[in-house]
Amino acid sequence: MDSGFGYFSTHDAVSPGDLARLVEQRGHEALLFTEHTHIPIPPGGEVLKDDRGRVVPRRYWHTYDTFVACTAAGLATTRLRVGTGVCLVPQHDPINLAKTVASIDRLTGGRFELGVGAGWNEPETRDHGVDPRRRFAVMKERIEAMKRIWTDDEAEYHGEFVSFGPMWSYPKPAQWPHPPVLVGGVGPRVLERVLAYGDAWLPNYSPGILDRVAELFRLAEEAGKRVKVIMLSAPSDPRVLEECEKAGVARVMAWLPSANLGRVERAMDEFENALAEMRGE
Protein backbone atom coordinates (compact mmCIF):
# COMPACT_ATOMS: atom_id res chain seq x y z
CA MET A 1 0.00 0.00 0.00
CA ASP A 2 1.48 3.32 -1.05
CA SER A 3 0.54 6.85 0.03
CA GLY A 4 -0.15 10.36 -1.11
CA PHE A 5 -2.11 13.52 -0.46
CA GLY A 6 -5.14 15.45 -1.62
CA TYR A 7 -4.99 19.24 -1.79
CA PHE A 8 -7.13 22.30 -2.41
CA SER A 9 -4.50 24.31 -4.29
CA THR A 10 -5.35 27.94 -3.56
CA HIS A 11 -3.59 31.11 -4.65
CA ASP A 12 -2.76 32.02 -1.03
CA ALA A 13 -1.17 28.69 0.01
CA VAL A 14 1.82 26.56 -0.98
CA SER A 15 1.92 26.47 -4.77
CA PRO A 16 1.18 23.21 -6.63
CA GLY A 17 4.72 22.92 -8.01
CA ASP A 18 6.41 23.54 -4.66
CA LEU A 19 4.10 21.11 -2.88
CA ALA A 20 4.58 18.44 -5.55
CA ARG A 21 8.36 18.61 -5.16
CA LEU A 22 8.00 18.23 -1.40
CA VAL A 23 5.62 15.27 -1.69
CA GLU A 24 7.97 13.55 -4.13
CA GLN A 25 11.04 14.22 -1.97
CA ARG A 26 9.27 12.60 0.98
CA GLY A 27 8.73 9.43 -1.02
CA HIS A 28 4.97 9.50 -1.63
CA GLU A 29 3.28 8.19 -4.75
CA ALA A 30 0.69 10.78 -5.73
CA LEU A 31 -0.83 14.23 -5.27
CA LEU A 32 -4.45 14.89 -6.28
CA PHE A 33 -6.02 18.33 -6.71
CA THR A 34 -9.65 19.30 -6.16
CA GLU A 35 -11.85 21.21 -8.59
CA HIS A 36 -14.50 23.90 -8.32
CA THR A 37 -14.83 26.45 -11.11
CA HIS A 38 -16.84 28.69 -8.80
CA ILE A 39 -19.27 28.55 -5.89
CA PRO A 40 -22.65 30.23 -6.40
CA ILE A 41 -23.53 32.64 -3.60
CA PRO A 42 -26.49 31.38 -1.52
CA PRO A 43 -29.53 33.69 -1.57
CA GLY A 44 -30.43 35.84 1.40
CA GLY A 45 -27.07 35.50 3.18
CA GLU A 46 -27.60 31.83 3.99
CA VAL A 47 -24.64 29.80 5.24
CA LEU A 48 -23.38 27.58 2.43
CA LYS A 49 -23.39 23.88 3.34
CA ASP A 50 -22.41 20.77 1.39
CA ASP A 51 -24.51 17.65 0.77
CA ARG A 52 -23.63 16.32 4.22
CA GLY A 53 -24.62 19.48 6.05
CA ARG A 54 -21.08 20.77 6.65
CA VAL A 55 -20.24 24.46 6.28
CA VAL A 56 -18.27 24.97 3.06
CA PRO A 57 -14.92 26.73 3.74
CA ARG A 58 -13.56 29.55 1.57
CA ARG A 59 -10.91 27.36 -0.09
CA TYR A 60 -13.67 25.91 -2.26
CA TRP A 61 -13.90 29.15 -4.26
CA HIS A 62 -10.20 30.08 -4.14
CA THR A 63 -8.69 27.08 -5.94
CA TYR A 64 -6.52 27.22 -9.01
CA ASP A 65 -7.83 25.50 -12.11
CA THR A 66 -7.20 21.83 -11.34
CA PHE A 67 -5.58 21.01 -14.67
CA VAL A 68 -3.24 24.00 -14.49
CA ALA A 69 -2.29 22.83 -10.99
CA CYS A 70 -1.72 19.26 -12.25
CA THR A 71 0.50 20.52 -15.06
CA ALA A 72 2.56 22.67 -12.70
CA ALA A 73 2.95 19.75 -10.27
CA GLY A 74 3.80 17.26 -12.99
CA LEU A 75 6.44 19.45 -14.61
CA ALA A 76 8.02 20.20 -11.21
CA THR A 77 8.61 16.48 -10.53
CA THR A 78 9.93 13.39 -12.29
CA ARG A 79 8.26 10.44 -10.52
CA LEU A 80 5.18 11.73 -8.68
CA ARG A 81 1.77 10.80 -10.05
CA VAL A 82 -0.55 13.81 -10.29
CA GLY A 83 -4.26 14.01 -10.88
CA THR A 84 -7.71 15.22 -9.97
CA GLY A 85 -9.53 14.41 -6.78
CA VAL A 86 -11.99 15.00 -8.36
CA CYS A 87 -12.70 16.53 -11.76
CA LEU A 88 -16.38 17.51 -11.97
CA VAL A 89 -16.99 15.95 -15.37
CA PRO A 90 -20.52 17.34 -15.98
CA GLN A 91 -18.97 20.83 -15.94
CA HIS A 92 -16.70 20.07 -18.92
CA ASP A 93 -17.12 19.69 -22.65
CA PRO A 94 -15.87 16.12 -23.25
CA ILE A 95 -13.92 16.91 -26.43
CA ASN A 96 -11.99 19.68 -24.69
CA LEU A 97 -11.54 17.61 -21.52
CA ALA A 98 -10.20 14.64 -23.49
CA LYS A 99 -7.62 16.92 -25.11
CA THR A 100 -6.60 18.40 -21.74
CA VAL A 101 -6.18 15.02 -20.06
CA ALA A 102 -4.21 13.56 -22.97
CA SER A 103 -1.97 16.63 -23.10
CA ILE A 104 -1.10 16.50 -19.39
CA ASP A 105 -0.50 12.75 -19.55
CA ARG A 106 1.92 13.21 -22.46
CA LEU A 107 3.71 16.17 -20.87
CA THR A 108 4.19 14.28 -17.58
CA GLY A 109 5.36 11.05 -19.22
CA GLY A 110 2.26 9.07 -18.29
CA ARG A 111 1.84 10.16 -14.66
CA PHE A 112 -1.71 11.51 -14.74
CA GLU A 113 -4.75 10.07 -12.95
CA LEU A 114 -8.29 11.26 -13.66
CA GLY A 115 -10.42 11.24 -10.54
CA VAL A 116 -14.03 11.94 -11.52
CA GLY A 117 -17.23 12.98 -9.81
CA ALA A 118 -20.62 14.41 -10.72
CA GLY A 119 -20.61 17.19 -8.10
CA TRP A 120 -22.78 17.84 -5.04
CA ASN A 121 -23.41 21.57 -5.53
CA GLU A 122 -26.56 21.72 -7.66
CA PRO A 123 -26.43 25.48 -8.45
CA GLU A 124 -22.81 25.09 -9.57
CA THR A 125 -23.77 22.24 -11.91
CA ARG A 126 -26.76 24.18 -13.21
CA ASP A 127 -24.54 27.17 -14.03
CA HIS A 128 -22.73 24.90 -16.49
CA GLY A 129 -25.94 24.14 -18.32
CA VAL A 130 -26.47 20.66 -16.85
CA ASP A 131 -29.59 19.46 -15.07
CA PRO A 132 -28.31 18.26 -11.67
CA ARG A 133 -30.87 15.45 -11.72
CA ARG A 134 -29.16 13.97 -14.81
CA ARG A 135 -25.56 14.65 -13.83
CA PHE A 136 -24.56 11.00 -13.34
CA ALA A 137 -25.94 10.03 -16.73
CA VAL A 138 -24.13 12.99 -18.28
CA MET A 139 -20.88 11.97 -16.58
CA LYS A 140 -21.16 8.39 -17.84
CA GLU A 141 -21.59 9.44 -21.45
CA ARG A 142 -18.82 12.03 -21.30
CA ILE A 143 -16.37 9.50 -19.89
CA GLU A 144 -17.37 6.93 -22.51
CA ALA A 145 -16.92 9.55 -25.24
CA MET A 146 -13.49 10.57 -23.93
CA LYS A 147 -12.35 6.97 -23.94
CA ARG A 148 -13.24 6.79 -27.63
CA ILE A 149 -11.21 9.94 -28.30
CA TRP A 150 -8.24 8.62 -26.34
CA THR A 151 -8.14 5.20 -28.00
CA ASP A 152 -9.57 5.48 -31.53
CA ASP A 153 -7.73 7.03 -34.47
CA GLU A 154 -11.11 8.09 -35.84
CA ALA A 155 -13.32 8.60 -32.80
CA GLU A 156 -17.10 8.70 -32.94
CA TYR A 157 -19.77 8.69 -30.23
CA HIS A 158 -23.55 9.05 -30.21
CA GLY A 159 -25.56 9.23 -26.99
CA GLU A 160 -28.32 11.24 -25.34
CA PHE A 161 -26.02 13.97 -23.99
CA VAL A 162 -22.91 13.61 -26.17
CA SER A 163 -22.88 13.11 -29.91
CA PHE A 164 -20.17 13.67 -32.50
CA GLY A 165 -19.23 12.16 -35.83
CA PRO A 166 -15.84 10.78 -36.84
CA MET A 167 -13.00 13.01 -35.67
CA TRP A 168 -9.24 13.16 -35.36
CA SER A 169 -7.90 14.29 -32.00
CA TYR A 170 -4.28 14.14 -30.86
CA PRO A 171 -2.16 13.74 -28.85
CA LYS A 172 -3.29 10.44 -27.44
CA PRO A 173 -2.45 9.83 -23.75
CA ALA A 174 0.95 8.34 -22.89
CA GLN A 175 -0.73 5.61 -20.80
CA TRP A 176 -2.55 2.89 -22.68
CA PRO A 177 -5.43 2.71 -23.18
CA HIS A 178 -5.80 5.93 -21.17
CA PRO A 179 -4.97 7.38 -17.73
CA PRO A 180 -6.72 5.51 -14.92
CA VAL A 181 -10.23 6.73 -14.18
CA LEU A 182 -10.80 6.95 -10.41
CA VAL A 183 -14.49 7.13 -9.59
CA GLY A 184 -15.18 9.28 -6.54
CA GLY A 185 -18.18 9.28 -4.23
CA VAL A 186 -19.79 7.04 -1.65
CA GLY A 187 -23.43 7.09 -2.77
CA PRO A 188 -25.61 3.98 -2.99
CA ARG A 189 -24.83 3.34 -6.68
CA VAL A 190 -21.17 4.29 -6.74
CA LEU A 191 -19.92 0.69 -6.99
CA GLU A 192 -22.01 0.26 -10.14
CA ARG A 193 -20.28 3.29 -11.62
CA VAL A 194 -16.84 1.99 -10.69
CA LEU A 195 -17.52 -1.29 -12.45
CA ALA A 196 -19.14 0.41 -15.45
CA TYR A 197 -16.38 2.84 -16.40
CA GLY A 198 -13.76 3.08 -13.63
CA ASP A 199 -10.34 1.64 -13.02
CA ALA A 200 -10.47 2.41 -9.31
CA TRP A 201 -12.77 3.63 -6.56
CA LEU A 202 -11.79 6.88 -4.86
CA PRO A 203 -13.94 7.19 -1.70
CA ASN A 204 -13.40 9.37 1.34
CA TYR A 205 -12.71 7.30 4.44
CA SER A 206 -15.54 6.89 6.94
CA PRO A 207 -16.48 4.19 9.47
CA GLY A 208 -17.85 1.18 7.62
CA ILE A 209 -16.29 2.07 4.27
CA LEU A 210 -14.07 -1.02 4.30
CA ASP A 211 -17.16 -3.24 4.21
CA ARG A 212 -18.01 -1.62 0.90
CA VAL A 213 -14.43 -2.14 -0.29
CA ALA A 214 -14.91 -5.85 0.28
CA GLU A 215 -18.20 -5.70 -1.60
CA LEU A 216 -16.53 -3.97 -4.54
CA PHE A 217 -13.82 -6.61 -4.78
CA ARG A 218 -16.48 -9.34 -4.68
CA LEU A 219 -18.52 -7.71 -7.44
CA ALA A 220 -15.43 -7.08 -9.54
CA GLU A 221 -14.36 -10.70 -9.29
CA GLU A 222 -17.83 -11.83 -10.37
CA ALA A 223 -17.64 -9.45 -13.33
CA GLY A 224 -14.13 -10.55 -14.26
CA LYS A 225 -12.78 -7.04 -13.76
CA ARG A 226 -9.78 -5.76 -11.82
CA VAL A 227 -10.20 -2.54 -9.87
CA LYS A 228 -8.19 -0.72 -7.21
CA VAL A 229 -9.26 1.27 -4.19
CA ILE A 230 -7.56 4.58 -3.40
CA MET A 231 -8.71 5.95 -0.04
CA LEU A 232 -8.98 9.71 0.38
CA SER A 233 -9.39 11.38 3.78
CA ALA A 234 -7.27 8.66 5.39
CA PRO A 235 -6.76 9.64 9.03
CA SER A 236 -3.39 9.78 10.75
CA ASP A 237 -4.30 6.70 12.75
CA PRO A 238 -2.01 3.63 12.51
CA ARG A 239 -4.89 1.28 13.34
CA VAL A 240 -7.09 2.61 10.55
CA LEU A 241 -4.22 2.59 8.07
CA GLU A 242 -3.47 -1.03 8.94
CA GLU A 243 -7.13 -1.94 8.43
CA CYS A 244 -7.02 -0.28 5.00
CA GLU A 245 -3.96 -2.27 4.02
CA LYS A 246 -5.51 -5.55 5.18
CA ALA A 247 -8.67 -4.72 3.21
CA GLY A 248 -6.64 -4.44 0.01
CA VAL A 249 -6.58 -0.65 -0.36
CA ALA A 250 -3.85 0.23 -2.87
CA ARG A 251 -3.17 3.76 -1.64
CA VAL A 252 -4.08 5.90 1.37
CA MET A 253 -4.21 9.66 0.95
CA ALA A 254 -4.59 12.38 3.57
CA TRP A 255 -5.83 15.91 2.95
CA LEU A 256 -3.32 18.70 3.40
CA PRO A 257 -4.36 22.17 4.60
CA SER A 258 -4.44 25.07 2.15
CA ALA A 259 -1.89 26.97 4.17
CA ASN A 260 1.72 28.05 4.52
CA LEU A 261 4.63 25.63 4.34
CA GLY A 262 4.93 25.18 8.09
CA ARG A 263 1.33 24.00 8.53
CA VAL A 264 1.56 21.76 5.47
CA GLU A 265 4.75 20.11 6.72
CA ARG A 266 3.26 19.50 10.17
CA ALA A 267 0.27 17.77 8.59
CA MET A 268 2.59 15.67 6.45
CA ASP A 269 4.67 14.75 9.49
CA GLU A 270 1.59 13.58 11.37
CA PHE A 271 0.47 11.33 8.51
CA GLU A 272 3.97 9.98 7.92
CA ASN A 273 4.41 9.20 11.61
CA ALA A 274 1.17 7.18 11.55
CA LEU A 275 2.34 5.31 8.44
CA ALA A 276 5.69 4.56 10.06
CA GLU A 277 4.02 3.23 13.21
CA MET A 278 1.68 1.11 11.13
CA ARG A 279 4.67 -0.36 9.28
CA GLY A 280 6.63 -0.95 12.48
CA GLU A 281 9.36 1.49 11.50
Side-chain angles (χ1 to χ4, degrees):
M1 184 175 70
D2 58 46
S3 59
F5 295 100
Y7 187 56
F8 283 75
S9 184
T10 64
H11 55 86
D12 52 0
V14 178
S15 72
D18 288 342
L19 180 61
R21 280 189 290 267
L22 183 61
V23 173
E24 181 174 80
Q25 289 167 4
R26 287 182 174 232
H28 298 281
E29 180 72 13
L31 176 61
L32 301 183
F33 296 95
T34 61
E35 176 178 52
H36 283 283
T37 55
H38 69 295
I39 296 294
I41 299 173
E46 296 177 13
V47 175
L48 180 63
K49 295 184 179 181
D50 66 14
D51 56 337
R52 288 186 278 179
R54 300 171 304 184
V55 175
V56 176
R58 68 181 294 277
R59 64 176 179 268
Y60 275 69
W61 56 94
H62 283 263
T63 55
Y64 284 117
D65 176 273
T66 188
F67 294 103
V68 173
C70 286
T71 302
L75 297 181
T77 54
T78 59
R79 179 193 58 78
L80 187 72
R81 298 189 65 80
V82 298
T84 56
V86 294
C87 166
L88 302 176
V89 174
Q91 300 182 14
H92 292 269
D93 173 272
I95 298 173
N96 289 338
L97 184 55
K99 170 80 77 171
T100 298
V101 169
S103 298
I104 298 176
D105 198 50
R106 296 288 296 193
L107 290 170
T108 59
R111 291 186 283 127
F112 184 76
E113 299 181 356
L114 180 64
V116 300
W120 57 266
N121 189 318
E122 293 191 1
E124 180 183 359
T125 301
R126 198 175 292 113
D127 282 350
H128 287 276
V130 174
D131 182 347
R133 295 170 299 180
R134 305 303 307 280
R135 66 192 188 279
F136 289 105
V138 170
M139 179 168 71
K140 179 178 183 293
E141 285 197 6
R142 291 185 179 181
I143 291 172
E144 289 174 348
M146 290 192 294
K147 288 183 177 181
R148 297 276 182 88
I149 296 172
W150 291 328
T151 57
D152 296 350
D153 289 332
E154 297 183 0
E156 182 173 1
Y157 186 89
H158 298 284
E160 180 182 357
F161 305 101
V162 181
S163 184
F164 52 79
M167 68 160 69
W168 293 316
S169 179
Y170 287 83
K172 301 301 185 186
Q175 298 174 86
W176 178 259
H178 51 73
V181 175
L182 322 177
V183 179
V186 294
R189 299 187 61 185
V190 67
L191 301 187
E192 296 177 31
R193 293 190 281 273
V194 175
L195 295 174
Y197 50 79
D199 300 293
W201 185 25
L202 184 67
N204 281 301
Y205 177 82
S206 62
I209 196 71
L210 296 181
D211 291 335
R212 300 192 71 190
V213 170
E215 181 184 2
L216 173 63
F217 288 150
R218 178 182 60 80
L219 293 172
E221 184 177 8
E222 291 175 356
K225 182 170 182 177
R226 295 184 62 185
V227 295
K228 293 183 177 180
V229 174
I230 297 173
M231 189 68 68
L232 278 170
S233 299
S236 298
D237 183 332
R239 179 188 56 80
V240 171
L241 298 177
E242 184 177 14
E243 290 174 351
C244 287
E245 185 170 54
K246 289 179 178 178
V249 171
R251 182 192 302 154
V252 286
M253 307 188 74
W255 287 106
L256 293 173
S258 302
N260 59 40
L261 182 60
R263 282 187 58 195
V264 168
E265 287 184 318
R266 287 193 292 274
M268 294 177 75
D269 289 342
E270 184 179 2
F271 188 57
E272 290 167 351
N273 289 338
L275 284 168
E277 184 175 341
M278 182 270 291
R279 294 166 178 163
E281 297 173 357

